[in-house]
Amino acid sequence: MTLIKFIEIMAILVGAFSGFIEARRKRMDLVGVFTVAFITAFGGGTLRDILLDKRPLFWVTHQEYAILIFVLALVASPLIRTLRQMVSERLIVIADAVGLGLFSIAGVSAALDANMPIFIASMMGVITGIFGGVLRDIVCNEVPMVFRDGKPYAICAFLGNWLFLLMGKYGVGHDFALWSSALFISGLRLITWKFDLRMGR
Amino acid sequence: MTLIKFIEIMAILVGAFSGFIEARRKRMDLVGVFTVAFITAFGGGTLRDILLDKRPLFWVTHQEYAILIFVLALVASPLIRTLRQMVSERLIVIADAVGLGLFSIAGVSAALDANMPIFIASMMGVITGIFGGVLRDIVCNEVPMVFRDGKPYAICAFLGNWLFLLMGKYGVGHDFALWSSALFISGLRLITWKFDLRMGR
Amino acid sequence: MTLIKFIEIMAILVGAFSGFIEARRKRMDLVGVFTVAFITAFGGGTLRDILLDKRPLFWVTHQEYAILIFVLALVASPLIRTLRQMVSERLIVIADAVGLGLFSIAGVSAALDANMPIFIASMMGVITGIFGGVLRDIVCNEVPMVFRDGKPYAICAFLGNWLFLLMGKYGVGHDFALWSSALFISGLRLITWKFDLRMGR
């Protein structure tokens, strides 16, 4: 298994896991737990692809991820309390930060491939990174967390996306630009988490 | 009028009716009543077609259904209390079960036509069957009922979709597979309703 | 700058402004304020284009509008209280009515270009006019205002759309039909607002 495949699966699992937790908190049943986990994991990329009119969708060509979440929903539902104790918060935040970086840059990259103008591409990256959680919160009947907690989550993605776009403009190699920007986002996210930085309102 | 046309109209009317009731409970006005009824009746199929990138949408090629719901919203709104008394709960549940079976199998079938992999096709069937109600509840600012009441509604659709997919794989005739799977879903739904079966959480 | 460009910008600004206010009322941070303003300004047209499968989206080809809302979100957020006092309610209602007329007729026109049947075209016009606000309210975790306040907002758009469709059918010049219908919607909206007319429920 390549490194990028491994990170991809980790990022999807973290998304699904946050969906599991939120769905259980809302006392949802198996159907709700699976659907919310699925939406959290794939909602951002799906919305991006609908806006770009890109098909087939990621989870359609990789049905193994949908099956994975399905199996996890079957087994995880009764185990969620145990799972939450097993997995430390630190690990979740780290995996989530890695996912944010990877998904955001993948989103920008997909938008550029579709010939989007530059500011729109930077927005598409943020949408890919955060709208899984936004849709999760809408389905769970909450005001989306990422819009109100004042933590610079989307901002980290936005800044890293521009780093990626600028490196592309100034001729930095594509692969290096991709990895370093994703790393920048993940790192910035972890620093702001570590020091509990907030935006003013 | 053919049988399938009749069942189709019944299923759409049942969807619209459940939208009417929910919209009135939320004290919505005429615009809300029409929109929520429309979303409940066509939301699942519309979401499926957007995910599959299939156009034109069902209600676009059959604008008579949209007009029907519009006229019903005009006349039904003041009559909703009377209507609820006229129509027994049993009849609503039966019509809804028939609709669930028909729409789910139609959804799987449309997904197969679009060359979806098998697990995704089974999911598209469930989405077609249940997302009208999910979108209704989101617009009405509720956690979707189908995600939290523990009744095996989506599960019935899921099992019937797999019955249909397996019959296709083992060479059972298309028409027979279609009708028997839809019947299976409707029957299973009615049995679980009759005996008030619940999933564990 | 042409007149239509000026009205277009005004209508988008009014949409964004109503998003700013709602997002601030929900105590959202900068990310929420920008996103909700963006959704309110462009949500209706975006939903219409997704339903019609039309690309590129309006705000993709005109990224300057997205950038404008971004800059406004940066500066407006701390100034929102001052802004609300500076801008009289009368001015907001007038600009909003102009926007409703313009967007609705633009929506009908786009639907006709995509060969939609006539009733569907009238619905697409209403969707373009009102669904920005609907999506704003869903993201802000409210039952959409336009579905429950009993004010004939969507109705004005609906009637004007039919005026436009009928003028087209009876050979009235396209430009005249477009402007007079948009004006009709705006005027009707302002009259119903002035006299505080309500629909019965």
Side-chain angles (χ1 to χ4, degrees), chain C residues 171-192:
Chain C
V172 177
H174 183 75
D175 276 17
F176 177 77
L178 202 146
W179 283 104
S180 57
S181 310
L183 202 67
F184 172 84
I185 293 173
S186 306
L188 194 59
R189 164 70 185 131
L190 288 174
I191 290 168
T192 61

Side-chain angles (χ1 to χ4, degrees), chain B residues 127-148:
Chain B
I127 288 173
T128 312
I130 73 169
F131 257 78
V134 169
L135 292 173
R136 174 199 65 208
D137 293 346
I138 290 175
V139 170
C140 289
N141 205 19
E142 301 279 352
V143 176
M145 179 65 75
V146 71
F147 292 163
R148 65 189 159 94

Side-chain angles (χ1 to χ4, degrees), chain B residues 20-97:
Chain B
F20 284 148
I21 290 173
E22 192 62 25
R24 290 301 297 178
R25 186 166 16 205
K26 289 285 176 173
R27 320 199 108 265
M28 288 188 180
D29 57 30
L30 177 62
V31 176
V33 166
F34 169 67
T35 310
V36 172
F38 192 89
I39 288 173
T40 313
F42 298 119
T46 301
L47 178 59
R48 178 202 62 213
D49 286 350
I50 289 173
L51 293 174
L52 296 180
D53 204 20
K54 183 163 167 279
R55 299 291 190 292
L57 300 168
F58 176 77
W59 49 271
V60 162
T61 36
H62 296 280
Q63 69 166 338
E64 60 271 22
Y65 292 131
I67 296 171
L68 178 64
I69 293 180
F70 181 72
V71 172
L72 285 177
L74 283 176
V75 299
S77 212
L79 298 175
I80 200 83
R81 213 173 296 175
T82 322
L83 273 172
R84 285 184 74 173
Q85 285 161 352
M86 269 173 54
V87 184
S88 72
E89 203 214 327
R90 178 188 293 261
L91 187 65
I92 294 177
V93 172
I94 292 173
D96 180 68

Side-chain angles (χ1 to χ4, degrees), chain B residues 137-188:
Chain B
D137 293 346
I138 290 175
V139 170
C140 289
N141 205 19
E142 301 279 352
V143 176
M145 179 65 75
V146 71
F147 292 163
R148 65 189 159 94
D149 67 358
K151 292 178 190 163
Y153 190 84
I155 307 277
C156 294
F158 187 72
L159 293 176
N161 293 346
W162 277 99
L163 180 63
F164 178 71
L165 289 165
L166 287 174
M167 286 202 278
K169 192 176 160 65
Y170 290 107
V172 177
H174 184 74
D175 277 16
F176 176 78
L178 201 145
W179 284 103
S180 57
S181 310
L183 202 68
F184 172 83
I185 294 174
S186 307
L188 194 59

